Amino acid sequence: MIPTLKLSDIITVWRDALQASQPIRDFCTAHYNKPPNIFVGINGKTPPAATDGPVIILYPGTKAEGLELQEYTYKLTISWMISQPAVVVTGNLTEYSGIAECDSLGQLIYFELAQLRPDNPISVLHYNIEPVAYFPQFCGRMDITVTITPVNGYSINF
């Protein structure tokens, strides 16, 4: 038997963890008066609107498996969006509150996923926040790689 893992299996585990996360729920309720809307994929023709925020989106990604590989890699993307028009001006300092809030939500998402599977941890994280293009919406994105060492003849449990 060739060991394999469906990307949708990882997404399901992550979706359920984010949906159940009390720290994420508490943060979103405290800042936006509602829990996040979680999407598994989106319709690119009608993406979530600013009024849907806060939003967390899980995207299917890519994987590399096969008998020639010592390690299998699974790459998935999660994005999030908050809406925060607040701007604080103090003298010659202007600060957009949405940057810190977007980063805080992203960190909560990352912490939730990072502690889920100690046997198959997040191997690489590429994380960024877009603080300019969509004001007053602030978007973040993390590209996550999970690396798993397969054992021939056994299924991969995630």
Side-chain angles (χ1 to χ4, degrees):
M1 176 167 92
I2 298 173
T4 187
L5 176 62
K6 295 187 304 185
L7 292 170
S8 59
D9 289 344
I10 299 171
I11 288 173
T12 298
V13 169
W14 288 359
R15 176 204 66 200
D16 293 349
L18 296 174
Q19 179 71 25
S21 171
Q22 196 62 50
I24 290 173
R25 179 177 293 278
D26 291 347
F27 176 85
C28 291
T29 302
H31 287 84
Y32 315 108
N33 298 316
K34 60 182 178 177
N37 285 306
I38 299 173
F39 292 80
V40 177
I42 59 168
N43 178 346
K45 294 179 182 176
T46 56
T51 55
D52 292 325
V55 170
I56 300 171
I57 304 168
L58 294 94
Y59 296 94
T62 63
K63 68 178 183 174
E65 296 178 332
L67 295 175
E68 298 289 321
L69 296 175
Q70 300 270 331
E71 294 182 323
Y72 292 178
T73 57
Y74 304 87
K75 297 179 181 184
L76 298 100
T77 298
I78 297 179
S79 63
W80 63 99
M81 180 273 296
I82 58 105
S83 184
Q84 178 51 271
V87 179
V88 178
V89 179
T90 308
N92 67 343
L93 174 64
T94 301
E95 186 169 357
Y96 293 85
S97 301
I99 294 172
E101 287 180 21
C102 185
D103 191 26
S104 293
L105 179 56
Q107 288 298 300
L108 288 172
I109 294 167
Y110 175 57
F111 291 147
E112 193 66 46
L113 300 180
Q115 56 89 28
L116 267 180
R117 296 287 192 253
D119 292 345
N120 298 316
I122 291 174
S123 303
V124 178
L125 173 77
H126 295 278
Y127 178 109
N128 74 359
I129 295 172
E130 174 48 63
V132 177
Y134 306 105
F135 181 84
Q137 285 76 47
F138 293 85
C139 304
R141 174 186 173 112
M142 58 180 82
D143 296 314
I144 300 171
T145 302
V146 175
T147 304
I148 297 175
T149 303
V151 177
N152 285 331
Y154 293 93
S155 61
I156 300 171
N157 295 316
F158 187 83

